[in-house]
Amino acid sequence: MIQFAVAYVGTALAMLVLDIIWLTQMVNRLYQPRIGELLAEKPSMPPAVIFYLLYVTGIVVLAVLPALREGGWKRLLVHAAVFGLVAYATYDLTNQATLKTWSTTITVVDMAWGTFITTVSASAGFAAARWFAAR
């Protein structure tokens, strides 16, 4: 349980910091010009918090813990990258398939971002859990 908690906190902190940087830098540059009419004036925090809690759980359960148990860094990187790509592709490709105005640029950039942020966040959680276990 401690291993899960340490991995979770490490993953969550990395994801939160990276996503805050991403969103503050990219909303006006990428999202607003392409899908501005779809954006809320202010994000709704309850669904955002639920997303982050669930998503970090997914990263830890599907990438970090299996890598800690049996695979090491290579397994972590592959599982995290695949999870990030699939999760963000699900959101973006569904939007592109169902909404009148959805940008292919956003789909491609978001999928790359999802792969990156998930892999880096999982790596932080993995490193935190390994560091804690070695203490």
Side-chain angles (χ1 to χ4, degrees):
M1 188 64 174
I2 287 284
Q3 185 180 46
F4 178 87
V6 171
Y8 191 95
V9 170
T11 301
L13 287 174
M15 183 157 188
L16 186 62
V17 167
L18 290 171
D19 226 16
I20 287 171
I21 293 168
W22 173 261
L23 292 172
T24 58
Q25 296 301 309
M26 299 307 288
V27 167
N28 291 331
R29 292 179 184 164
L30 176 67
Y31 300 102
Q32 187 67 39
R34 288 168 180 82
I35 59 164
E37 67 277 4
L38 297 174
L39 295 175
E41 287 184 33
K42 181 180 174 189
S44 176
M45 292 312 292
V49 169
I50 292 168
F51 163 75
Y52 285 107
L53 293 173
L54 289 172
Y55 196 75
V56 170
T57 299
I59 295 171
V60 173
V61 169
L62 298 174
V64 177
L65 293 180
L68 287 168
R69 281 193 304 268
E70 58 203 53
W73 282 102
K74 184 178 178 182
R75 180 175 179 136
L76 173 85
L77 296 174
V78 170
H79 283 233
V82 169
F83 179 63
L85 176 65
V86 170
Y88 277 69
T90 300
Y91 171 78
D92 286 296
L93 293 171
T94 298
N95 285 342
Q96 193 159 5
T98 60
L99 299 176
K100 288 182 184 179
T101 55
W102 191 262
S103 165
T104 300
T105 300
I106 289 181
T107 295
V108 172
V109 171
D110 258 6
M111 288 169 56
W113 174 247
T115 303
F116 174 80
I117 191 172
T118 303
T119 304
V120 172
S121 298
S123 296
F126 182 76
R130 287 182 104 183
W131 172 83
F132 187 81
R135 294 183 76 226

